[in-house]
Amino acid sequence: MRTWTGKPYPLGATYDVSGTNFALFSEVAEAVELVLLDDAGHETRVPMTEIDRSAWHIHLPDVGPGQRYGYRVSGPFDPAAGHRCNPAKLLLDPYATAFDGALDHHESLYGHHFADGAEPNTLDSAGHTMLSVVTDRGFDWGDDRPPGHPYAESVIYEGHVRGLTRTHPALPEELRGTYAGIAHPAILDHLTGLGVTALELMPVHQFIQDGHLAEKGLSNYWGYNTIGFFAPHNAYAAAVGRGAQVTEFKQMVKALHAAGIEVILDVVYNHTAEGNDKGPVLAFKGIDNAAYYRLVDEDRSQYYDTTGTGNSLLMRHPNVLQLIMDSLRYWVQEMHVDGFRFDLAATLARQFHEVDRLSAFFDVIQQDPVISRVKLIAEPWDLGEGGYQVGNFPPLWSEWNGRYRDAVRDYWRGADGTLGEFAARITGSADLYEHDRRRPLASVNFVTAHDGFTLRDLVSYDRKHNEENGEDGRDGEDHNRSWNCGAEGETDDPGILALRERQQRNLMTTLILSQGIPMISHGDELGRTQGGNNNAYCQDNPTTWIDWNVDEPGRRLLEFTSGLIRLRRDHPVLRRRRFFSGRAAGHTGRLPADVEWLRPDATPMEDEDWTWPKAGALTVFLNGEAITEPDRYGNRVTDDSFLLMFNGSDTVIDFRLPGERFAVRWTQLVDTASTDAPDERELKAGSTLRLESFSTVVLRSAREDAAPDER
């Protein structure tokens, strides 16, 4: 075989017309062999003798796309010192852009004998692990371009490749559960009809299936178990062929962009699938364990874990930072994605022990000319000490607002003392973000997500029902802030069913019309249920898949939700770019403020009203004439004004509309107490409107030529 010297960068396998360059980082290795495998699995081992700045490299002019390969790394095996090199392990390339095959959890995949951790396991893992694949990055993107939706106009839809497509009747069977399935017109039509602007995909980086789940007949459905940060998960591809998943993923992105939908990836850079000291040796452990992972100072055979998965990446190591940044740039530049949601992002900020918002990770993101210009969303917590960091990420970032989720759930389940927190959250959480000049776009608002109850289950169960997970109900959150509306789980009681429908509408109305960026969990718009399972990470079955055989309540909820999204899209006062000031508008100060808080009798809220434990009713006035920021073209923005009336109590309440200083007439647009579309009747200032218990009404200031309803 012809061999050339090659180059130390870029890392990974890079194909061009001259062949393929292979480069691997390891500062601990004493020798590295590149292993090429033919169709029968026979190995050709090529010693890599060139090394520059800890990058081992070689160029093979006769190797091209489709070639399967791996590495064998010789070096110290000394777990007590943090080193786990073992040439018996055929290792994956951390920079591979595609993988072939799957793990079989054979004992050879583990680096040492558990009875004696000081002795390496010499069983060869070849034939039991996945293989890296050389790919050709060429692709005809045509006129593809990012939709570029402003944050303020964004509506995010969190979806799972399999869960979103697995049962859709319009999809051919071979496309269900795949990237190609998402690109199918049936799925695109649903997303565009709903009105979302971005699809946030749960992990699509190559991940592995856990052995302990496989033994139970379960699987790692969520995919938070990454082993390849550059490769689309191969099991989500309908196309057959080594590396075909790369092309299929690009085709999916291109189709979504053509439909005006951005692609955001849920990425897991805080840990890998290799687990703790008892986990398999698949790539990083065998290449340079001490460089890639945070180890316990007192015992370097153990991993410092702030993720609950067994390990955490060593964010202060420059080559780990390089890996993550190279990966992010690859997905933006080569795969055309539009942004990222970072799982357990507080771990990424940990250089030593504490969470440091000025850590090296944030510094390199801030200055990067590619990554700093896409959407960046943090899950602002991890499981370590001081890991809950909602409101503390740098200005470039948006955050999953866990306090929004908790406050909105508490309010609509009738918890005492929630009104003040509820009001702060629905108006953008200025108390969390305004102190460092961030804007409402910093808050990604959500009521439900993949982790926890679905929207329907949130109003149907008081407690989790996770028995199918095989952990005797020990897994999953115990404090869900849910309310079953009078019966646990399924019921045929018409009163309870009506209340549950109303509560779903209340929660969806609150979410879509709050300031900030709303995120909908897939299937919530259809009334999807997981049967009370609030930790369905291991359920790749109808428990987690959307049931597209939608019943009448589901169809009503879909129509209701899409109507709310249209309302938000059409009215900039419902998606302001800046926080409310609370100051009176106009030079005289006699006009209403940009936001005003009213009691049900239309008088201003006083301090004691906010602190009264049983307070559950509120009117919010949003002044469409007091939007101070221009639009994206620099034009002054004005809008209709709105009244949002919330009755989170268990009694019927008569709300009085405020006087003519706010508006002369109002049009009713939403009433969550009714399953019928509102007739948009006109109401005049000072009139009374009765709100059912646990209901929301939305009014818009009426046109001047409209005739008021005298009732």
Side-chain angles (χ1 to χ4, degrees), residues 174-216:
E174 65 272 15
L175 299 187
R176 296 182 182 184
T178 70
Y179 305 121
I182 288 181
H184 190 277
I187 300 299
L188 297 178
D189 288 348
H190 177 76
L191 296 176
T192 55
L194 183 59
V196 299
T197 67
L199 174 60
E200 181 179 300
L201 286 173
M202 289 178 65
V204 296
H205 288 176
Q206 184 70 51
F207 61 88
I208 69 169
Q209 296 296 335
D210 305 79
H212 74 279
L213 292 177
E215 291 174 358
K216 299 177 182 179

Side-chain angles (χ1 to χ4, degrees), residues 394-633:
L396 190 65
W397 292 71
S398 299
E399 303 175 13
W400 271 27
N401 190 344
R403 289 186 60 179
Y404 178 95
R405 172 200 60 205
D406 296 345
V408 171
R409 288 186 178 193
D410 277 344
Y411 176 79
W412 284 115
R413 71 188 178 100
D416 290 344
T418 60
L419 194 59
E421 179 86 357
F422 176 77
R425 301 300 148 240
I426 65 174
T427 50
S429 297
D431 57 324
L432 299 179
Y433 303 115
E434 194 173 25
H435 62 88
D436 57 2
R437 298 186 178 181
R438 298 167 80 182
R439 294 185 176 183
L441 61 85
S443 180
V444 175
N445 301 326
F446 67 105
V447 176
T448 60
H450 67 273
D451 188 2
F453 282 144
T454 66
L455 184 67
R456 177 172 166 181
D457 288 355
L458 188 67
V459 300
S460 303
Y461 295 91
D462 279 353
R463 61 187 185 276
K464 64 187 181 185
H465 295 267
N466 297 356
E467 294 75 16
E468 292 183 353
N469 294 354
E471 299 183 44
D472 296 324
R474 294 187 301 271
D475 65 302
E477 176 62 55
D478 290 317
H479 185 43
N480 294 284
R481 293 182 162 90
S482 61
W483 177 40
N484 65 21
C485 297
E488 187 71 1
E490 296 300 315
T491 181
D492 56 4
D493 186 303
I496 293 175
L497 293 174
L499 177 56
R500 288 177 178 176
E501 279 196 62
R502 188 157 78 245
Q503 286 287 69
Q504 290 178 77
R505 292 192 291 270
N506 285 328
L507 290 160
M508 197 64 84
T509 301
T510 305
L511 174 64
I512 302 301
L513 302 188
S514 291
Q515 303 297 320
I517 304 170
M519 185 187 78
I520 301 169
S521 181
H522 84 195
D524 275 355
E525 76 280 13
L526 302 169
R528 184 175 77 87
T529 179
Q530 293 181 168
N533 191 325
N534 74 347
N535 189 36
Y537 74 101
C538 56
Q539 300 293 331
D540 186 4
N541 52 50
T543 297
T544 52
W545 304 338
I546 290 180
D547 182 0
W548 290 97
N549 184 23
V550 183
D551 58 13
E552 184 57 34
R555 284 189 286 272
R556 287 196 295 263
L557 184 57
L558 174 61
E559 183 178 356
F560 181 82
T561 303
S562 59
L564 288 172
I565 294 175
R566 287 194 300 271
L567 184 64
R568 177 186 177 88
R569 179 198 64 198
D570 294 342
H571 292 281
V573 74
L574 300 174
R575 45 178 175 81
R576 289 170 53 102
R577 294 173 51 242
R578 295 177 183 168
F579 288 113
F580 295 105
S581 68
R583 293 187 295 270
H587 296 294
T588 65
R590 291 182 295 180
L591 298 177
D594 53 4
V595 63
E596 295 206 14
W597 310 94
L598 307 173
R599 295 187 299 202
D601 63 3
T603 60
M605 291 282 289
E606 303 292 346
D607 289 346
E608 58 270 20
D609 296 322
W610 294 112
T611 57
W612 184 48
K614 297 296 183 182
L618 176 71
T619 294
V620 186
F621 170 74
L622 306 178
N623 191 344
E625 294 289 333
I627 302 175
T628 57
E629 71 269 18
D631 65 16
R632 69 171 100 172
Y633 307 110

Side-chain angles (χ1 to χ4, degrees), residues 284-450:
F284 307 93
K285 281 182 179 179
I287 294 169
D288 198 332
N289 184 65
Y292 279 111
Y293 292 115
R294 291 192 65 182
L295 305 177
V296 176
D297 291 336
E298 299 78 16
D299 182 359
R300 293 179 64 77
S301 69
Q302 302 298 307
Y303 294 82
Y304 187 85
D305 178 19
T306 59
T307 67
T309 62
N311 64 60
S312 303
L313 283 175
L314 183 61
M315 296 305 301
R316 65 176 179 265
H317 195 287
N319 288 89
V320 175
L321 285 173
Q322 180 187 17
L323 170 78
I324 294 174
M325 295 305 298
D326 286 347
S327 169
L328 292 169
R329 280 191 293 269
Y330 174 81
W331 287 97
V332 173
Q333 295 176 315
E334 295 289 337
M335 310 295 266
H336 286 206
V337 305
D338 305 281
F340 304 94
R341 179 264 189 190
F342 293 79
D343 176 66
L344 299 180
T347 291
L348 302 177
R350 292 181 185 270
Q351 284 187 290
F352 296 97
H353 174 72
E354 71 287 349
V355 175
D356 179 4
R357 61 176 297 175
L358 299 178
S359 71
F361 176 69
F362 292 131
D363 291 343
V364 295
I365 290 284
Q366 183 76 33
Q367 60 79 40
D368 189 89
V370 175
I371 307 307
S372 63
R373 287 164 172 76
V374 301
K375 289 182 168 67
L376 301 173
I377 303 170
E379 183 184 32
W381 50 76
D382 65 14
L383 302 184
E385 182 180 351
Y388 192 78
Q389 292 292 315
V390 173
N392 290 332
F393 274 65
L396 190 65
W397 292 71
S398 299
E399 303 175 13
W400 271 27
N401 190 344
R403 289 186 60 179
Y404 178 95
R405 172 200 60 205
D406 296 345
V408 171
R409 288 186 178 193
D410 277 344
Y411 176 79
W412 284 115
R413 71 188 178 100
D416 290 344
T418 60
L419 194 59
E421 179 86 357
F422 176 77
R425 301 300 148 240
I426 65 174
T427 50
S429 297
D431 57 324
L432 299 179
Y433 303 115
E434 194 173 25
H435 62 88
D436 57 2
R437 298 186 178 181
R438 298 167 80 182
R439 294 185 176 183
L441 61 85
S443 180
V444 175
N445 301 326
F446 67 105
V447 176
T448 60
H450 67 273

